[in-house]
Amino acid sequence: MTYVEHLMFHRVIPASVLAVVAAGFAQSIWMIVYKPWSKTRNGAWAAKAAEVTGSAIGSSQMLLIYRLLAFLWCSAVAAIQFADKGFFVLKYYTVWNYYLMIIFFALATLYSFLDIQRQQAATSETSKAAKKPVNGLGYFVVTLFHINLTTVFIVDVLTWGLLWPMLKANPDPSRVEFFTNQLFNFTSYNQHGFNFVLMVGETFLNRIPFYPYLLGYVGMWTSFYGIWAFINFSSSGKWMYPFLDASQPWAPFAYLGLFAVHWVFFGFVILLLQIKYWILQYFQTSRQQLEVQMAKVK
């Protein structure tokens, strides 16, 4: 019996793989506790309610409607998938993240609605309250925004750039046909493509500040799935994704790569936000110049 066969037969997770996952989890905890690169000791708790519910290019009501429609759409997609495949889909990282995105849009919609209700009260007390830091719900919305914006990059790029090439390389044509049907359908397009569109739309509409230390929550979330994958393998003897197969000789490097990918895609998030700021600044400057020119004409 080879080493790989031994691991698969006894359903053993190599110590090297466990060490990588443990190191990633420990770093996530460190980032959450010590908040590196944070301008304030309070971190995301310093965010204002108006920043979480206000829109960078429109009204708070427009952002509320967007969040509500996104929640309803994603919920409908999840319901269609669940009705077709049942509880089995809950084993996949993609579905974990899609459900987390649904939770984000649900809570963001609720927080937007409550803040708009406070604003419509039109009293001096509520005006002051709008300038105060977020409450627990607001902090949760900010955190989920950072997690989801990062994981849509991870899910979509790894699905089409890594998972699909590995699956279609299977020597069994019937398995390739099965995998093709699983990935090329309505729900998959939503969970491996349109999810990115929805989060990018949210990004350009909202005014949520960026907090680098919240990458710790992204790492923790993925570590939880890694632990779940180990538990699922111990009970079923199967890996949900081929690149998570800890019995392979290259497994420690694969897990290290997945760990590093989180930093890479968090960098893409930073770039996306910077592009947003550049675009908004450009249009704001252009509008100010137009207003000056119009004033001269008058």
Side-chain angles (χ1 to χ4, degrees):
M1 181 180 292
T2 65
Y3 175 71
V4 172
E5 291 172 339
H6 170 77
L7 293 178
M8 290 295 292
F9 180 78
H10 295 284
R11 301 179 184 179
V12 176
I13 309 298
S16 57
V17 172
L18 292 175
V20 171
V21 175
F25 190 82
Q27 187 192 58
S28 299
I29 295 295
W30 176 80
M31 293 185 69
I32 293 170
V33 173
Y34 291 99
K35 300 179 178 63
W37 312 298
S38 181
K39 296 180 180 179
T40 65
R41 295 185 63 181
N42 291 331
W45 285 105
K48 303 297 187 294
E51 293 175 325
V52 180
T53 63
S55 175
I57 61 176
S59 65
S60 299
Q61 288 79 1
M62 181 181 71
L63 180 60
L64 168 63
I65 293 173
Y66 178 86
R67 288 171 167 174
L68 176 60
L69 291 177
F71 165 69
L72 293 175
W73 176 264
C74 293
S75 298
V77 171
I80 292 172
Q81 183 186 50
F82 187 80
D84 181 41
K85 302 184 182 300
F87 287 98
F88 177 76
V89 298
L90 301 180
K91 295 183 177 183
Y92 291 100
Y93 184 65
T94 290
V95 177
W96 276 42
N97 284 286
Y98 199 71
Y99 279 41
L100 190 67
M101 189 172 71
I102 293 175
I103 293 173
F104 163 72
F105 280 121
L107 296 182
T109 299
L110 175 62
Y111 194 63
S112 287
F113 175 77
L114 294 176
D115 191 61
I116 290 174
Q117 290 294 104
R118 287 197 299 267
Q119 293 177 17
Q120 291 179 343
T123 65
S124 58
E125 292 183 358
T126 54
S127 297
K128 293 179 181 179
K131 299 179 181 179
K132 292 182 179 180
V134 295
N135 56 18
L137 176 59
Y139 180 84
F140 201 36
V141 170
V142 173
T143 302
L144 287 178
F145 171 70
H146 284 71
I147 296 175
N148 282 286
L149 186 57
T150 306
T151 55
V152 292
F153 275 105
I154 297 172
V155 168
D156 294 359
V157 173
L158 290 186
T159 296
W160 302 114
L162 178 63
L163 179 61
W164 171 237
M166 294 181 73
L167 294 178
K168 70 178 181 179
N170 193 299
D172 185 351
S174 63
R175 295 300 294 169
V176 174
E177 182 180 2
F178 171 78
F179 295 137
T180 301
N181 293 333
Q182 291 298 307
L183 282 177
F184 293 88
N185 57 63
F186 174 75
T187 55
S188 177
Y189 294 148
N190 275 274
Q191 296 176 344
H192 303 110
F194 195 59
N195 58 338
F196 177 78
V197 175
L198 289 175
M199 286 307 303
V200 170
E202 167 70 26
T203 300
F204 277 83
L205 284 175
N206 71 32
R207 293 171 48 205
I208 295 178
F210 177 65
Y211 299 95
Y213 82 91
L214 292 178
L215 174 62
Y217 286 105
V218 181
M220 183 180 292
W221 171 252
T222 305
S223 296
F224 285 146
Y225 184 81
I227 295 171
W228 152 252
F230 294 160
I231 295 173
N232 181 69
F233 170 72
S234 297
S235 61
S236 67
K238 297 180 180 179
W239 291 100
M240 299 308 300
Y241 297 100
F243 51 78
L244 290 182
D245 188 349
S247 65
Q248 299 298 326
W250 43 258
F253 302 101
Y255 278 79
L256 277 173
L258 291 173
F259 176 69
V261 156
H262 285 73
W263 286 94
V264 173
F265 288 113
F266 206 64
F268 282 139
V269 169
I270 296 174
L271 178 61
L272 178 64
L273 292 172
Q274 189 60 55
I275 292 173
K276 168 190 172 180
Y277 299 144
W278 285 336
I279 293 175
L280 292 178
Q281 186 177 21
Y282 172 78
F283 281 104
Q284 183 178 10
T285 302
S286 299
R287 186 177 65 179
Q288 290 174 347
Q289 292 175 346
L290 179 61
E291 290 175 351
V292 170
Q293 292 176 354
M294 293 298 294
K296 290 181 179 179
V297 172
K298 292 180 180 179

